[in-house]
Amino acid sequence: MPLKVSLVSADAEIWTGEATLVVAKTVEGEIGFMAGHEPVLAILAEGQVRITGTDGTKVLANAQDGFLSMERDELTIVAGNAALIG
């Protein structure tokens, strides 16, 4: 079962879809998420968000100033500033 992922900035939806793996940087360090991960609420640190889609595609985004929330295989990343790389 894949993760449902939503990456949004203060003024736009950056990426949404299903993924097998998401790695993001928090103030505590990098954290990876896969389906079945325990609930998490964390403060987002400036850095890259790396998303591996269910079809194997890789999505990279820069994000900072926000938080992430993981619950019931749904990962929401809300950043004050975020943009896709490339």
Side-chain angles (χ1 to χ4, degrees):
M1 176 163 213
L3 287 174
K4 293 180 183 171
V5 181
S6 179
L7 171 59
V8 298
S9 70
D11 58 358
E13 182 177 80
I14 305 302
W15 190 88
T16 187
E18 294 187 337
T20 56
L21 175 67
V22 178
V23 178
K25 189 173 180 183
T26 72
V27 295
E28 300 289 324
E30 277 196 339
I31 185 168
F33 296 94
M34 298 175 77
H37 197 286
E38 66 184 39
V40 173
L41 181 61
I43 298 170
L44 196 61
E46 182 175 351
Q48 286 188 351
V49 176
R50 301 187 306 271
I51 302 167
T52 303
T54 54
D55 62 357
T57 59
K58 305 284 186 186
V59 176
L60 290 176
N62 282 326
Q64 63 184 29
D65 301 329
F67 68 93
L68 59 81
S69 172
M70 173 72 178
E71 189 171 2
R72 288 185 238 109
D73 292 335
E74 292 187 20
L75 177 63
T76 303
I77 303 170
V78 180
N81 296 305
L84 294 177
I85 300 172

